[in-house]
Amino acid sequence: MVEVSDQVVFSESLEVGAESRFFLQALVCRRPAVLVTPFKIKPVARLLCLTERLVREASRELAEAGLLVTQKQADKVGRPGQEYEASQYLLDLLAKSGRSMVAHQDLALRLFSEPEIYAEGPQPETDAGNEKAARKLIRKDGRPAAPGACGRLGASTRVLLAALLTSADECGVVTGVGEAKLRVLTGLSPVALKHQVKRLVSLGFIRVHVPGVSNGVFIGAKVPSTYYLNLSHPQLGDQCRRHGVLVYSSAGPSVHERLTSGLPPDVKKALLALGPAALNVLYHKLARYTSHLLSLTWGGPGEKYGDVPASLDGMIARELGQLKVDKPGQNEAGYYWPGMLEHFFEVAFEWAEQLKKRLNGKVWPGHQPQLIRLMPAPERRDGLRIISLIVYPAPMRHKCCIVYKDVRDGFLREFDSEADLDVRNRYEFGLLTE
């Protein structure tokens, strides 16, 4: 028998819907014997805590796609029953995929193998005792309600979250994965995908969603969305010791000021003319470049970067070099963009040095993270700028969560984990968004 209990089956060649993908993965995780023995609808539905409707319709779709084959129980008395078993195509697919090597495979598998994952969003402490009325288990037409009606996280939502987890880095940040690929991986329609992203944000599984921009902004190039996943979500299990969180608040430049500092007036004007959506995307790219420098030089002497600039140059060239814009009234494309590559490098270098100067030695002394990711919070009107540093791995000899307000009469407070922060503070700090 093929060992599949620790595999994530995400293949772009599977032309089935989200619920069928969820059922297939749950079946592989929790009932690997399906590969050698047939299964019936009712027993499997009870085992996986799914409705018979979902299991029946998913099995039919998987059979039509060639992943399952049907068998009739002709030797039984009465009406012949129907069973399903894995097809040779599915067996070959599983054998070919082998054991997936992704950063959060264990969390993705949990979404399929653990039925008791609930659609519970973050609630302020004052609202903790206000429980919503349970949804009815029977729909108006008399058919069984969806799995989420029992309070569990629904199949489509789990499929999307699992797809994002398999694409995320160790800090839970997903970049370079466009909506088209997510639709292929999940079987969701464009409308359903947008709905499920909003749902994951509202439930706190996605900290921040930075929508990408279409080729209507940059000539012939689409910029994919960025997703900051909340790996500390309580419904994902005890993950608080995997990562450290530093919330850093200080008086600093606004998004526009940081992006345009030092640029000639005409170039600054042209950059700002791209609009808020494009500027937000570029700001988070700048945060990523700064994160790259911090990851490689945290705890080291300032401005001694060795070969690091070359790696950052390559990253900026790959991502920003393809972005071209038109100069009004002229035919030449990219009239100011080439000079922006050097500008982004300089701004990222300056930002990284500022953070190292303010934070090294004051937070987690002696800890050397393998990866640091900056997550900017939304702009505030009081002049304070908040960014969160997600670090991997978590410091072993220090508190895992620090809130540092670096202004006059500021403070530095330590917490055992992010879970010790009040939910309202997490929204304020940008660790959660609405």
Side-chain angles (χ1 to χ4, degrees):
M1 185 177 76
V2 180
E3 178 61 39
V4 296
S5 60
D6 59 352
Q7 288 182 219
V8 178
V9 186
F10 268 107
S11 173
E12 297 185 20
S13 62
L14 299 182
E15 297 182 359
V16 296
E19 290 189 346
S20 296
R21 288 171 183 261
F22 172 79
F23 170 65
L24 174 62
Q25 183 68 75
L27 199 62
V28 167
C29 289
R30 301 196 65 206
R31 197 179 185 274
V34 69
L35 299 178
V36 293
T37 59
F39 69 88
K40 298 179 181 179
I41 298 297
K42 290 184 178 181
V44 167
R46 288 194 297 268
L47 174 68
L48 302 181
C49 297
L50 300 174
T51 63
E52 293 182 21
R53 176 194 62 82
L54 188 151
V55 173
R56 184 176 293 105
E57 293 180 358
S59 297
R60 289 173 181 169
E61 185 175 10
L62 292 171
E64 292 172 358
L67 295 163
L68 297 178
V69 294
T70 59
Q71 289 186 348
K72 298 290 185 179
Q73 295 176 293
D75 58 334
K76 301 293 183 179
V77 177
R79 183 179 179 181
Q82 185 167 268
E83 295 181 329
Y84 294 87
E85 65 179 354
S87 68
Q88 189 60 48
Y89 170 47
L90 176 57
L91 295 178
D92 293 342
L93 178 64
L94 293 171
K96 181 180 178 180
S97 63
R99 295 191 176 188
S100 304
M101 298 300 293
V102 296
H104 308 293
Q105 177 172 280
D106 55 339
L107 297 184
L109 289 171
R110 173 179 165 79
L111 290 171
F112 298 105
S113 60
E114 173 56 63
E116 305 305 317
I117 297 179
Y118 294 96
E120 294 181 355
Q123 296 290 334
E125 294 181 359
T126 54
D127 297 336
N130 297 333
E131 299 182 357
K132 293 183 179 180
R135 292 175 59 188
K136 295 182 179 180
L137 304 185
I138 302 297
R139 305 191 318 184
K140 291 182 179 180
D141 59 4
R143 299 167 64 187
C150 298
R152 300 185 182 96
L153 197 65
S156 297
T157 312
R158 294 194 193 204
V159 167
L160 175 58
L161 180 55
L164 291 172
L165 283 168
T166 58
S167 304
D169 63 20
E170 288 82 355
C171 291
V173 183
V174 181
T175 58
V177 181
E179 290 187 5
K181 184 174 183 179
L182 282 178
R183 292 198 300 269
V184 170
L185 289 174
T186 62
L188 293 168
S189 68
V191 174
L193 178 62
K194 291 181 180 180
H195 170 74
Q196 292 300 338
V197 168
K198 291 180 179 179
R199 180 156 176 75
L200 287 172
V201 172
S202 68
L203 293 175
F205 288 97
I206 295 178
R207 297 183 186 275
V208 179
H209 170 222
V210 183
V213 293
S214 67
N215 52 15
V217 177
F218 300 108
I219 300 174
K222 294 182 179 180
V223 183
S225 298
T226 298
Y227 306 87
Y228 297 84
L229 304 184
N230 182 10
L231 301 178
S232 298
H233 197 287
Q235 292 299 318
L236 293 179
D238 186 13
Q239 307 295 322
C240 61
R241 295 300 303 180
R242 286 192 174 190
H243 308 87
V245 178
L246 166 62
V247 178
Y248 180 62
S249 174
S250 63
S254 66
V255 172
H256 291 176
E257 291 169 343
R258 191 176 293 279
L259 284 174
T260 61
S261 176
L263 289 175
D266 58 333
V267 178
K268 177 179 178 179
K269 181 179 179 180
L271 181 62
L272 294 178
L274 293 176
L279 291 175
N280 190 40
V281 166
L282 294 176
Y283 187 62
H284 282 268
K285 283 188 174 293
L286 176 61
R288 179 166 178 253
Y289 304 146
T290 306
S291 301
H292 177 75
L293 292 176
L294 290 175
S295 299
L296 297 177
T297 64
W298 184 267
E303 300 187 6
K304 293 185 178 180
Y305 281 79
D307 296 331
V308 175
S311 64
L312 181 60
D313 265 337
M315 181 184 297
I316 293 176
R318 286 191 302 272
E319 295 189 359
L320 300 187
Q322 63 174 327
L323 305 183
K324 304 296 182 182
V325 293
D326 273 332
K327 182 177 181 179
Q330 295 191 14
N331 295 325
E332 183 182 1
Y335 80 102
Y336 68 78
W337 202 254
M340 295 299 294
L341 304 185
E342 294 79 8
H343 172 70
F344 268 76
F345 179 92
E346 294 173 0
V347 175
F349 183 91
E350 179 184 359
W351 197 2
E353 285 300 300
Q354 290 174 349
L355 291 173
K356 288 171 60 180
K357 181 178 180 181
R358 302 302 302 173
L359 300 177
N360 275 344
K362 292 181 180 171
V363 298
W364 300 317
H367 179 55
Q368 183 62 55
Q370 298 176 21
L371 182 65
I372 299 175
R373 295 304 301 259
L374 300 185
M375 187 174 65
E379 294 266 81
R380 295 165 56 103
R381 296 181 179 179
D382 58 5
L384 285 178
R385 311 303 173 196
I386 299 178
I387 59 170
S388 293
L389 283 73
I390 313 297
V391 303
Y392 172 85
M396 299 302 295
R397 296 182 297 274
H398 305 281
K399 303 287 189 180
C400 286
C401 180
I402 295 177
V403 178
Y404 182 18
K405 187 176 182 180
D406 188 14
V407 295
R408 186 176 181 179
D409 299 325
F411 56 83
L412 190 154
R413 295 175 183 169
E414 298 180 316
F415 302 86
D416 288 332
S417 70
E418 183 184 337
D420 295 325
L421 291 176
D422 183 85
V423 172
R424 288 189 175 87
N425 290 137
R426 279 183 258 175
Y427 278 108
E428 178 187 0
F429 299 153
L431 295 173
L432 296 172
T433 55
E434 297 180 352

